[in-house]
Amino acid sequence: MRQIVKTMMMVLLMCSVAYSVQAQDARKAIREHYAAVKEQLKMYDELKETGDIYPVPQMYSVVVKQNLPATGYHEETIQMVYREETKSDEQIYSDLYLDFATKKYNFAAREFYEEYLYDKQGRVQFIYALESDFGDVFQREYRFYFSQGKLIDVNVKSRATDSEPFKDVYSGNSVPEEYRSYYQRRMSSAKSVMTIFKTIDASREL
């Protein structure tokens, strides 16, 4: 019996180590992908400053402006960075795939900013979200990491004023109940952004 328990513990330990290595590799790949997209966006900003139109930014943009009850003026901006793939020499127009998206919006004075990174299969790979001005916390940051569509890492930070550095509130590989509804809304938003991208892509005049 003692040998069986020992064997089971060894198996569990090996599984835990394997999962840890896999998660570390996934986070490394996410950070490299994220850095590459950010460099691409930096290049677009530099082109905008010079007035050059080439190379053309690989991006769709959607802006919503409206007046909402109770909170007044509301503006929502979604920018979707895509990549191109050509599957054959006979193909005239490349297929476009959503790579990264940013979402910025407000409700009255409260401002929100979100980022969504997608893998080559169209699954969400990383979510960053920033929300401001609520309760006794000035800002809260969320980071959700995924591998093959499955959540592998969660990090939450907050600060009381804009002059303070962010401090860790939670780190783990699952979402605590306190943040679960927020996480679910961000996952829903990631799917909605993908739907918007596909709708625009299917509506292009070619």
Side-chain angles (χ1 to χ4, degrees):
M1 182 67 180
R2 185 176 299 175
Q3 184 61 38
I4 294 175
V5 172
K6 185 177 180 181
T7 301
M8 290 179 63
M9 290 179 64
M10 286 295 294
V11 171
L12 289 173
L13 178 61
M14 291 172 65
C15 289
S16 177
V17 170
Y19 176 84
S20 177
V21 171
Q22 181 184 17
Q24 288 177 10
D25 290 344
R27 284 193 292 270
K28 180 182 177 183
I30 289 169
R31 292 188 178 106
E32 290 175 352
H33 184 189
Y34 183 85
V37 172
K38 283 293 188 176
E39 190 63 30
Q40 185 178 354
L41 290 173
K42 180 181 177 183
M43 180 188 70
Y44 292 161
D45 288 338
E46 290 172 351
L47 287 173
K48 190 186 298 182
E49 291 178 0
T50 61
D52 293 336
I53 61 172
Y54 293 103
V56 177
Q58 295 178 265
M59 183 185 297
Y60 293 156
S61 296
V62 175
V63 179
V64 177
K65 297 180 181 182
Q66 60 187 136
N67 191 50
L68 298 178
T71 58
Y73 180 74
H74 173 80
E75 182 171 327
E76 187 169 338
T77 302
I78 303 173
Q79 291 189 321
M80 294 162 280
V81 179
Y82 59 81
R83 67 181 186 281
E84 297 182 329
E85 291 186 14
T86 303
K87 298 178 180 177
S88 70
D89 294 337
E90 293 77 26
Q91 188 174 350
I92 299 175
Y93 299 107
S94 300
D95 295 325
L96 307 185
Y97 298 91
L98 181 58
D99 203 27
F100 178 76
T102 64
K103 188 174 182 181
K104 185 178 181 180
Y105 55 99
N106 76 289
F107 289 102
R110 292 188 65 191
E111 295 185 349
F112 302 82
Y113 176 76
E114 298 157 12
E115 297 179 341
Y116 299 91
L117 188 70
Y118 299 85
D119 65 18
K120 290 187 176 181
Q121 286 71 43
R123 299 168 300 199
V124 65
Q125 191 177 34
F126 172 70
I127 296 175
Y128 168 81
L130 173 69
E131 58 177 351
S132 304
D133 296 321
F134 56 98
D136 58 349
V137 178
F138 173 65
Q139 287 182 326
R140 185 177 288 159
E141 283 187 329
Y142 302 84
R143 289 175 175 84
F144 304 103
Y145 297 81
F146 302 82
S147 177
Q148 299 180 357
K150 295 182 179 180
L151 183 68
I152 60 169
D153 198 10
V154 179
N155 179 251
V156 182
K157 297 182 178 182
S158 69
R159 61 181 181 180
T161 68
D162 60 355
S163 61
E164 295 181 22
F166 280 97
K167 296 180 180 179
D168 280 320
V169 176
Y170 172 80
S171 289
N173 56 18
S174 62
V175 182
E177 187 62 34
E178 180 182 357
Y179 309 118
R180 184 162 297 278
S181 63
Y182 187 83
Y183 166 72
Q184 291 171 343
R185 292 199 301 274
R186 299 291 67 77
M187 290 298 292
S188 178
S189 182
K191 293 178 182 179
S192 296
V193 170
M194 178 62 78
T195 298
I196 292 170
F197 173 82
K198 289 182 177 180
T199 301
I200 295 173
D201 188 51
S203 303
R204 287 185 296 155
E205 296 292 345
L206 297 176

